[in-house]
Amino acid sequence: LPISPTTDMKPLAAAIAAGATALDLALPAGAAEKLARLLAELERWNQRINLTAIRDPQEMVAAHVLDSLAVQPFLRGPNVIDIGTGAGFPGLPLAIAEPGFAFVLLDSNGKKISFVRHIAGELGLDNVTAVKARIEDYAPGQGFDTVIARALAAVPQLVEMAGHLVGEGGQLLAQKGRHQPEGVRAADARQHRPILHHRQHFARHLHHNGVGVAIGHHPGQAAPPGHAIAPGIVDNYQIHPAPVD
């Protein structure tokens, strides 16, 4: 079915463009409009299938689109996999923002993967492949430059589940929920609103089975003793690559 015209997409596109500017991101031409169409279709599908707890497209701008785009500067390509993608976040916004990268969006929920396939086709996202599979069972035969997970699991569990997907020289990016203790999964997507005015966070380096990661802390929290301060990602408890000794 074609994308529903019932949602006014101009305000959505304007809000997305303004948010990207606040994040110091330069979106490709037409990207804000595609992202608005994504949210309009998500709203339509959400009336029949429970894809996300957030129903208001305006709320989705911050909670889904901008939160997804916040990790764009930390991507390594060209091959990226979004594990536990759900309704396509952060994978779909990142694929729109990075048309030169190839994205695999992986989830075991068939209805959500059906939506991802549908909207990728509607938006002409040739750089998106949607796969229905469990993370532990997915074995594509080659590693990825970036493995990304949004509010999926604690770091040790993520590495155990998805470490085999990280290619040589690759990285694991794990977005964690706001005000969540380290290692605690976020309760729902509404806790992932980006903090648009903060770009520098404390971080501490971790090493899990050879996968270098670093957990970012909310501004105002002290860095753990003996750990270096490094750039972080917009939002709390997010992970970016750390050098592996």
Side-chain angles (χ1 to χ4, degrees), residues 157-235:
Q157 284 72 34
L158 275 178
V159 174
E160 183 177 351
M161 286 190 299
H164 67 286
L165 298 174
V166 181
E168 184 177 355
Q171 65 179 1
L172 171 66
L173 302 181
Q175 292 178 272
K176 307 297 286 183
R178 179 181 290 188
H179 304 309
Q180 293 291 325
E182 179 181 325
V184 176
R185 178 176 178 169
D188 76 41
R190 285 171 292 186
Q191 299 182 11
H192 299 278
R193 304 179 190 280
I195 304 169
L196 299 181
H197 57 285
H198 288 304
R199 293 302 302 231
Q200 296 293 318
H201 287 208
F202 293 120
R204 65 184 176 88
H205 298 307
L206 300 171
H207 302 285
H208 288 287
N209 301 329
V211 179
V213 297
I215 294 185
H217 295 271
H218 185 268
Q221 291 179 326
H227 293 287
I229 297 175
I233 301 175
V234 178
D235 212 343

Side-chain angles (χ1 to χ4, degrees), residues 4 8 121 137 144 157:
S4 171
D8 187 354
D137 298 335
F144 292 85
Q157 284 72 34

Side-chain angles (χ1 to χ4, degrees), residues 99-124:
F101 287 4
F103 288 81
V104 172
L105 274 57
L106 181 73
D107 204 281
S108 61
N109 186 305
K111 293 180 179 179
K112 293 180 178 180
I113 284 297
S114 293
F115 171 76
V116 172
R117 287 176 178 152
H118 164 78
I119 193 61
E122 289 287 339
L123 297 178

